[in-house]
Amino acid sequence: MKISMNYINNSDVKLVGFQKKFKQIALLALEKNKLNGFFDFSVTIVDDKVIHEYNKQYRSIDRPTDVLSFAFNDFDDGIVNEEINSLGDIIISIETCKRQAKEYGHSLTRELCFLFTHGFLHLLGYDHMNEKDEKKMFSLQDEILNELNILR
């Protein structure tokens, strides 16, 4: 299995080493879902103003949020049979990420990796619209982060 990640930091915050961590998370998530092939996705780090606009435009929610995912495909439709699997885009607000890390009492690294993992699982078709799906998704998030020693 191979991945290609387009990483863009459009924030004023210098982030070092996160591309490697995001790739590790993505590879482990794909492995745990028994997915093979070549997978392509993008991650963009923005500020609250930018994510607020995305949230307003695409979700009709007039406030910033921490992470948004825009999945290109539905895995139930056999996406993994294609040569290149373009998964979609993840957008993370670094400002909200920093506030939440402080609020939850853990590092910026933990919070940013958590938000990436959450967003990536959405690209793989996970959701948390009901209790059963939420439990499954959140359990996998914790499993991935724990295995990579990205702890609270």
Side-chain angles (χ1 to χ4, degrees):
M1 150 185 21
K2 293 185 180 181
I3 61 171
S4 173
M5 178 180 71
N6 183 27
Y7 174 84
I8 303 165
N9 184 352
N10 282 336
S11 77
D12 294 334
V13 178
K14 186 174 181 175
L15 299 169
V16 178
F18 285 98
Q19 290 182 58
K20 182 179 179 182
K21 288 184 185 309
F22 291 166
K23 285 180 179 180
Q24 290 172 328
I25 291 166
L27 287 168
L28 186 54
L30 291 166
E31 179 184 308
K32 288 191 171 292
N33 281 279
K34 297 175 177 47
L35 297 173
N36 292 305
F38 181 84
F39 297 89
D40 168 81
F41 60 95
S42 73
V43 182
T44 306
I45 309 296
V46 298
D47 60 21
D48 275 352
K49 182 179 178 185
V50 171
I51 209 162
H52 183 161
E53 287 303 314
Y54 279 111
N55 210 21
K56 186 176 179 180
Q57 181 177 353
Y58 294 103
R59 297 179 65 220
S60 299
I61 299 174
D62 193 10
R63 63 175 169 77
T65 189
D66 51 7
V67 61
L68 292 171
S69 297
F70 298 95
F72 292 164
N73 297 288
D74 181 356
F75 277 86
D76 292 337
D77 292 338
I79 180 66
V80 294
N81 295 325
E82 296 181 13
E83 191 172 316
I84 298 177
N85 300 291
S86 293
L87 298 176
D89 301 319
I90 301 168
I91 301 170
I92 300 172
S93 170
I94 194 65
E95 289 176 301
T96 299
C97 179
K98 287 168 74 175
R99 279 194 308 275
Q100 289 178 173
K102 186 175 183 179
E103 178 184 327
Y104 300 139
H106 52 246
S107 69
L108 178 64
T109 297
R110 163 65 183 179
E111 185 65 16
L112 193 52
C113 288
F114 170 84
L115 293 176
F116 172 80
T117 305
H118 186 87
F120 192 79
L121 290 179
H122 277 306
L123 296 186
L124 296 182
Y126 285 84
D127 215 328
H128 44 88
M129 299 300 284
N130 62 54
E131 191 175 327
K132 180 183 174 192
D133 291 344
E134 179 178 300
K135 185 176 181 178
K136 183 177 179 182
M137 181 178 182
F138 289 11
S139 175
L140 183 55
Q141 283 173 176
D142 289 343
E143 187 178 323
I144 290 167
L145 293 169
N146 289 340
E147 275 190 43
L148 294 173
N149 206 31
I150 303 170
L151 308 174
R152 295 177 189 238

